[in-house]
Amino acid sequence: MNEIASNMTRTKRNILIVEDNEINREMLKEILGDQYFVLEAEDGVEGMELLKKHYKTLSLVMLDVQMPRMDGYEFLKLYSSDSILTGIPVIVTTGSTVTESEELCLSLGAADFITKPYKPKIIMRRVEALIRLRESIATLQAVELDPLTGLYTKAAFRHYAQSYFNY
């Protein structure tokens, strides 16, 4: 493995946990803490403040639905209204098994939905998959556009033109 790839796999990404229940926060921190730096918020208001402050370095948000001051639904509404913040995937965590709750969260911009009690291996796989997907998209966007002009590179233009015209 080359040195750059090796450093990328060793780099810890940042995750924001927005959860009012201290025990649940600690459980998520225990599950994620070995591989990720974890920021914590006790409610949606504090979570939104941290998200806006650290959006450039965050890889993912873990969000509880039922919280005081600002619940997960309100958090997702604010999150969805900001095109910069929506680049950071959100996984909703809840004890509710109501299908409508999951549908609402996904319609408000959540990328995934996990019910409690937590299953550590499932959480790790979903977190890893979403972060990998986000980073792949960012890499693709970076190589598609010319940094000087902001236009598609010749290779990206050719790819999209061929796809459009079914060549």
Side-chain angles (χ1 to χ4, degrees):
M1 181 182 315
N2 69 34
E3 186 177 331
I4 294 172
S6 177
N7 286 338
M8 287 181 66
T9 58
R10 287 189 298 217
T11 302
K12 278 191 170 185
R13 276 107 177 132
N14 299 319
I15 293 179
L16 172 61
I17 297 173
V18 185
E19 166 69 66
D20 65 318
N21 183 298
E22 185 177 355
I23 293 171
N24 289 336
R25 249 189 352 265
E26 288 300 319
M27 287 173 58
L28 286 171
K29 204 166 135 182
E30 180 69 26
I31 293 167
L32 300 166
D34 285 343
Q35 292 188 21
Y36 301 97
F37 290 114
V38 176
L39 290 155
E40 300 176 60
E42 294 181 9
D43 59 46
V45 172
E46 185 181 352
M48 187 54 66
E49 289 170 2
L50 287 171
L51 177 59
K52 287 179 178 180
K53 182 177 180 182
H54 299 285
Y55 74 91
K56 289 181 180 180
T57 60
L58 284 173
S59 295
L60 186 107
V61 176
M62 301 286 294
L63 175 68
D64 184 28
V65 174
Q66 302 298 323
M67 295 180 290
R69 295 202 312 158
M70 180 192 297
D71 65 18
Y73 303 117
E74 196 60 37
F75 181 97
L76 285 170
K77 287 176 189 172
L78 286 172
Y79 159 87
S80 295
S81 68
D82 188 320
S83 61
I84 298 217
L85 299 181
T86 57
I88 303 162
V90 174
I91 297 177
V92 172
T93 62
T94 184
S96 172
T97 57
V98 179
T99 303
E100 291 80 19
S101 179
E102 183 174 2
E103 289 173 8
L104 180 57
C105 289
L106 293 171
S107 73
L108 290 172
D112 204 350
F113 193 90
I114 297 175
T115 56
K116 299 169 189 173
Y118 298 132
K119 297 176 183 122
K121 289 181 182 179
I122 299 294
I123 289 173
M124 285 303 296
R125 296 296 170 250
R126 289 184 178 188
V127 165
E128 289 167 359
L130 278 172
I131 290 174
R132 196 169 38 252
L133 178 62
R134 177 181 183 256
E135 290 174 354
S136 295
I137 291 168
T139 300
L140 180 60
Q141 289 172 339
V143 298
E144 282 185 337
L145 300 177
D146 178 272
L148 183 61
T149 65
L151 300 173
Y152 284 124
T153 61
K154 184 177 177 181
F157 178 80
R158 184 174 293 132
H159 168 78
Y160 287 116
Q162 288 173 342
S163 296
Y164 182 77
F165 294 110
N166 295 318
Y167 286 109

